[in-house]
């Protein structure tokens, strides 16, 4: 394990990413000299530069001059010129995950939130509960959280909370005292061979928790259940079944699609909660956050108050605006078939006429690996518009397009209104010309599809 006290100047390759930027900010807060590189300028790089980091645009071996540790994000390949230069000069290199694990080791109460879906929401909930309970935690979250003005907050206590990403087995470098496992599903199949490979990694992750630690797990996922057997640590379950340690009942949705429910524990009803974010999946996220913080001794009233006031991170069912013709525009980060179904199911509880889903698939490998699942994910939508696939870190060696997904949906459900447009302007114009008063339009995906919502509202303003 890295002894971070041995270093003075840390260079971060991919410093503008949501994950590595948080690490850079922690180093800056501790008085380290920090430099870094990224392919483009952003609000994140500007913020880090304002805090004292030296940020370079583009990757070049000269950028690491003066560094005694080079840290890289999971998106950086090992033939990056800065990694190559560091190895030539004998400068230690480490993944973001390895550095994060070394940081976690310093805290008595280190919490890691894992799962294919729901990590950012649940991490944010726990972070705000601990923050408002005056526990002063250090927080690393995978989205922008308004209450901490970003995705990282450096605290001054023994509480440390972070998302634990399974991609490339990154979470196996962490050192959590408390783990939350929300679910296990097929994803990142450009790295994992299959669901058994994914479950095996989660099993190793669960095994990282020490004997005096706790694994908090969702009981209704069969893969999660299978990895809980034989753990040395304490196991706490949550879900919707009465045999769970924490379970929800009496679930109702208000006219805005927001759920209320009771939480049971040890044979007692502990409280009733009215969430300010939609969907049954967020009940599960809230249960996980409640179980974690209740176990840490936070008062029930404080937990309830924070959960009821939580309105989400950016790109989680954000209401972007309402057109002059009373069409509600929402944006959501859902990019996996399970997430799409959950978001559209949540949208059904919001009063509307037709439900439009404007979807942008994220990465060629995910689209190809889960092609059939994607084709069956949009049942709850009345109108479906596909944007072209967002490449992210990939090249289209598979020669796949969103057009194939549109054709498959039409084949399976010929009555569905499904469209493909090559650019965002065309999508926005089609919605403006065809959506009716009372319709609900959701832009959906992990890429830049959110821009369509902005274009729609701008076109509506100029009408």
């Amino acid at each position: 394990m890295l002894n971070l006290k041995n270093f003075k100047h840390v260079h971060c390759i991919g410093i503008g990413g949501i994950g590595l930027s948080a690490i850079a900010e922690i180093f800056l807060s501790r008085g380290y000299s920090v430099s870094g590189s990224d392919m483009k300028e952003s609000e994140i790089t500007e913020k880090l530069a304002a805090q004292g980091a030296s940020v370079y645009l583009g990757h070049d071996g000269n950028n690491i001059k003066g560094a005694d540790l080079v840290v890289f994000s999971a998106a950086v390949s090992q033939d990056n010129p800065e990694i190559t230069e560091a190895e030539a000069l004998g400068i230690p290199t480490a993944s973001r995950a390895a550095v994060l694990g070394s940081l976690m080791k310093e805290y008595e109460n280190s919490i890691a939130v894992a799962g294919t879906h729901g990590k950012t929401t649940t991490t944010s909930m726990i972070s705000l509960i601990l923050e408002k309970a005056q526990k002063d935690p250090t927080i690393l979250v995978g989205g922008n959280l308004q209450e901490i003005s970003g995705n990282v907050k450096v605290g001054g206590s023994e509480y440390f909370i972070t998302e634990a990403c399974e991609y490339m087995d990154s979470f196996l470098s962490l050192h959590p005292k408390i783990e939350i496992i929300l679910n296990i599903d097929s994803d990142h199949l450009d790295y994992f061979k299959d669901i058994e490979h994914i479950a095996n990694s989660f099993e190793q992750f669960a095994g990282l928790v020490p004997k005096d630690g706790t694994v908090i797990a969702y009981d209704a996922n069969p893969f999660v259940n299978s990895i809980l057997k034989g753990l040395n640590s304490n196991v706490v379950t949550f879900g919707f079944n009465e045999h769970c340690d924490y379970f929800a009942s009496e679930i109702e949705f208000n006219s805005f699609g927001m759920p209320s429910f009771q939480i049971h524990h040890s044979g007692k009803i502990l409280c009733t909660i009215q969430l300010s974010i939609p969907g049954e999946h967020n009940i599960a996220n809230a249960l996980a956050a409640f179980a974690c913080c209740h176990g840490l001794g936070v008062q029930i009233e404080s937990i309830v108050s924070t959960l009821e006031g939580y309105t989400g991170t950016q790109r989680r069912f954000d209401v972007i605006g309402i057109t002059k013709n009373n069409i509600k525009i929402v944006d959501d980060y859902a990019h996996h078939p399970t997430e799409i179904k959950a978001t559209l199911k949540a949208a059904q509880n919001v009063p509307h006429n037709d439900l439009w889903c404007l979807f942008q698939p994220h990465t060629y490998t995910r689209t190809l690996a889960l092609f059939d699942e994607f084709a069956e994910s949009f049942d709850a939508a009345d109108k479906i518009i596909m944007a072209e696939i967002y490449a992210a870190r990939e090249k289209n060696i598979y020669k796949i397009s969103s057009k194939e997904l549109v054709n498959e949906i039409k084949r399976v459900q010929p009555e569905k209104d499904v469209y493909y447009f090559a650019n965002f302007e065309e999508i926005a114009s089609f919605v403006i010309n065809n959506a009716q008063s009372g319709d609900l339009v959701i832009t959906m995906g992990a890429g830049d599809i959110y821009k369509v919502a902005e274009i729609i509202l701008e076109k509506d303003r100029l009408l």
Side-chain angles (χ1 to χ4, degrees):
M1 184 187 300
L2 289 168
N3 185 348
L4 299 177
K5 294 177 182 176
N6 292 337
F7 307 105
K8 295 180 180 178
H9 179 167
V10 180
H11 181 82
C12 302
I13 310 175
I15 197 169
I18 199 79
L20 194 47
S21 63
I23 298 291
E25 196 162 330
I26 290 175
F27 278 124
L28 285 167
S29 74
R30 294 183 172 196
Y32 287 75
S33 177
V34 175
S35 59
S37 60
D38 215 297
M39 292 307 295
K40 61 186 179 193
E41 206 169 25
S42 65
E43 287 183 16
I44 291 175
T45 59
E46 289 173 2
K47 178 183 177 183
L48 290 170
Q51 292 177 356
S54 299
V55 180
Y56 304 96
L57 293 183
H59 301 302
D60 188 295
N62 291 324
N63 293 344
I64 70 167
K65 186 177 180 180
D68 51 14
L69 175 66
V70 173
V71 184
F72 53 90
S73 73
V76 173
S77 63
Q78 289 302 298
D79 61 357
N80 181 282
E82 294 175 19
I83 292 180
T84 302
E85 181 69 7
E87 290 172 345
L89 295 175
I91 299 171
T93 63
S95 67
R96 173 194 177 269
V99 172
L100 179 57
S102 295
L103 287 169
M104 291 181 77
K105 195 74 172 174
E106 301 175 10
Y107 293 80
E108 175 64 27
N109 293 305
S110 55
I111 305 164
V113 180
T116 314
H117 324 289
K119 289 188 292 292
T120 298
T121 295
T122 307
T123 304
S124 299
M125 287 174 167
I126 296 169
S127 298
L128 293 181
I129 291 167
L130 295 178
E131 181 77 358
K132 292 183 180 180
Q134 299 184 328
K135 301 294 187 182
D136 194 20
T138 293
I139 299 165
L140 281 78
V141 64
N144 286 318
L145 190 57
Q146 183 178 351
E147 289 86 346
I148 63 171
S149 302
N151 68 308
V152 59
K153 178 247 175 185
V154 180
S157 73
E158 288 299 309
Y159 290 87
F160 185 103
I161 178 163
T162 183
E163 291 185 33
C165 182
E166 72 275 15
Y167 183 56
M168 304 287 285
D169 280 333
S170 293
F171 60 1
L172 299 185
S173 296
L174 305 185
H175 292 275
K177 180 76 170 290
I178 299 170
E179 279 182 7
I180 294 170
I181 302 179
L182 298 166
N183 41 64
I184 299 174
D185 204 348
S186 292
D187 200 9
H188 299 304
L189 295 173
D190 54 331
Y191 172 74
F192 293 110
K193 296 173 186 174
D194 48 33
I195 186 64
E196 285 75 21
H197 185 190
I198 298 169
N200 180 62
S201 288
F202 272 91
E203 185 173 13
Q204 293 179 62
F205 175 66
L208 297 176
V209 176
K211 195 170 183 179
D212 61 341
T214 304
V215 174
I216 301 168
Y218 179 56
D219 86 303
N221 184 293
F223 298 105
V224 175
N225 259 328
S226 69
I227 69 174
L228 300 179
K229 300 165 185 173
L231 289 179
N232 291 324
S233 58
N234 182 38
V235 174
V236 173
T237 58
F238 67 92
F240 301 93
N241 298 312
E242 291 185 7
H243 64 259
C244 294
D245 295 304
Y246 292 84
F247 70 91
S249 72
E250 305 302 319
I251 298 168
E252 296 180 354
F253 293 88
N254 65 19
S255 60
F256 298 100
M258 312 302 182
S260 65
F261 54 97
Q262 292 179 344
I263 294 183
H264 300 250
H265 176 61
S266 297
K268 295 188 296 185
I269 299 172
L270 297 186
C271 59
T272 299
I273 294 180
Q274 171 70 65
L275 292 182
S276 299
I277 51 176
E280 189 174 285
H281 59 295
N282 279 319
I283 299 176
N285 295 335
L287 279 170
F290 187 100
C292 176
C293 296
H294 188 237
L296 288 169
V298 180
Q299 294 293 314
I300 292 174
E301 296 78 9
S302 179
I303 300 174
V304 172
S305 173
T306 304
L307 288 175
E308 290 193 331
Y310 176 72
T311 55
T313 53
Q314 288 182 2
R315 305 215 59 217
R316 297 324 191 265
F317 214 87
D318 288 348
V319 178
I320 305 301
I322 299 174
T323 69
K324 296 169 189 168
N325 195 29
N326 193 35
I327 299 165
K328 184 177 286 187
I329 312 295
V330 170
D331 177 61
D332 196 272
Y333 188 73
H335 58 284
H336 182 282
T338 301
E339 296 167 354
I340 295 166
K341 289 178 182 177
T343 302
L344 293 177
K345 183 179 178 183
Q348 292 292 347
N349 294 303
V350 179
H352 64 275
N353 291 328
D354 280 346
L355 174 58
W356 293 64
C357 183
L358 283 44
F359 183 67
Q360 180 188 44
H362 188 262
T363 73
Y364 305 111
T365 52
R366 181 181 284 115
T367 306
L368 188 63
L370 302 176
F371 187 84
D372 292 340
E373 290 89 338
F374 275 117
E376 298 170 355
S377 297
F378 301 92
D379 288 358
D382 300 299
K383 315 279 186 183
I384 306 164
I385 297 179
M386 288 285 168
E388 196 45 83
I389 298 167
Y390 187 82
R393 56 187 173 267
E394 297 180 345
K395 293 181 180 178
N396 192 7
I397 60 173
Y398 310 99
K399 306 301 180 187
I400 189 171
S401 166
S402 292
K403 292 177 185 176
E404 280 90 75
L405 197 51
V406 167
N407 292 337
E408 180 63 12
I409 295 171
K410 286 180 176 178
R411 187 188 71 80
V412 175
Q413 295 178 287
E415 75 285 356
K416 275 283 184 189
D417 290 330
V418 191
Y419 309 91
Y420 166 86
F421 294 103
N423 63 68
F424 289 173
E425 283 286 339
E426 289 181 283
I427 295 174
S429 294
F430 186 84
V431 172
I432 285 287
N433 293 330
N434 292 278
Q436 302 295 312
S437 178
D439 286 358
L440 175 59
V441 176
I442 305 179
T443 55
M444 189 180 291
D448 57 356
I449 189 69
Y450 63 88
K451 293 178 180 176
V452 175
E454 298 168 357
I455 296 169
I456 290 171
L457 291 173
E458 179 60 20
K459 287 180 177 291
D460 180 70
R461 187 184 67 83
L462 296 174
L463 286 176

